[in-house]
Amino acid sequence: MTERLKPPRIAIRGRRICQLRPLCYDLSVDQVAPALQQFLTEFKRVANAIVDSYFVVDTERRIVDFNRAFFALLPRQVARGLKGKRCYEVIELNICKTECIAQQCWTDNRHVRLDEISGSIIGEAQKLRFILSAVPITDERGNHVGALEIQRNVTDEAVVQVKYQEMLETEARERERLANQVRMRTKELLETNQLLLKTQKELLAYKKGLTV
């Protein structure tokens, strides 16, 4: 006997009736692995000690928790319904497609840190620079249930570093230019001095010719 399909759920809001979307980003407690939920409960006790932005993902890279610092990075349209979105749907880094830091920490089963990672918030033009850290979250059997990812925003420091490097390069070019000028002037002086000596010798020879 063929099983009858259940009709889509209908949400009633006041007098308006709307069909719920099949894809819902908000994760309920039941959708989070028990071991990951236990980690989140215990982690909340010390989470305030982390001043950098962070989020927690499950093994499908869906965001299940985050702090205010991470929320503050995002524009309103991106931050809305943040839980349940995959991390690469929120922030696009140059490692997301090939070297995902969560995948790295699961593969190596250890803490992973990556420096000088560039990227941007989805929908934003500004380029950001981060130092990233990721730690695998496991259950009692050692199976991975998620990862804690911490982002230190070093964009301002990177800008200062770039400007400082540009200043050093400008100064180096200026020193090289001055050094070239000094070498050219020195060469010109030597040539002039040699010409003067030659002229003096010719003059002495001419005088001797007159006295003979």
Side-chain angles (χ1 to χ4, degrees), residues 167-184:
M167 182 184 69
L168 292 178
E169 292 174 356
T170 300
E171 290 180 351
R173 288 194 296 268
E174 183 63 17
R175 286 196 300 269
E176 183 64 21
R177 186 184 68 83
L178 292 174
N180 288 334
Q181 284 187 348
V182 170
R183 284 193 291 267
M184 291 180 60

Side-chain angles (χ1 to χ4, degrees), residues 8-36:
R9 292 187 301 164
I10 302 296
I12 302 178
R13 300 175 182 174
R15 294 184 178 180
R16 293 182 62 188
I17 299 178
C18 59
Q19 182 175 339
L20 293 180
R21 295 181 180 179
L23 176 60
C24 181
Y25 277 126
D26 290 329
L27 290 177
S28 66
V29 175
D30 295 336
Q31 293 175 289
V32 178
L36 183 55

Side-chain angles (χ1 to χ4, degrees), residues 119-131:
S120 60
I121 306 300
I122 297 297
E124 296 287 301
Q126 182 186 7
K127 292 295 182 181
L128 303 175
R129 195 74 65 87
F130 296 98
I131 296 175

Side-chain angles (χ1 to χ4, degrees), residues 74-75 77-78 87-93 120-125:
L74 311 176
Q77 65 272 18
V78 178
C87 51
Y88 53 81
E89 296 176 327
V90 177
I91 182 169
E92 185 176 11
L93 304 174
S120 60
I121 306 300
I122 297 297
E124 296 287 301

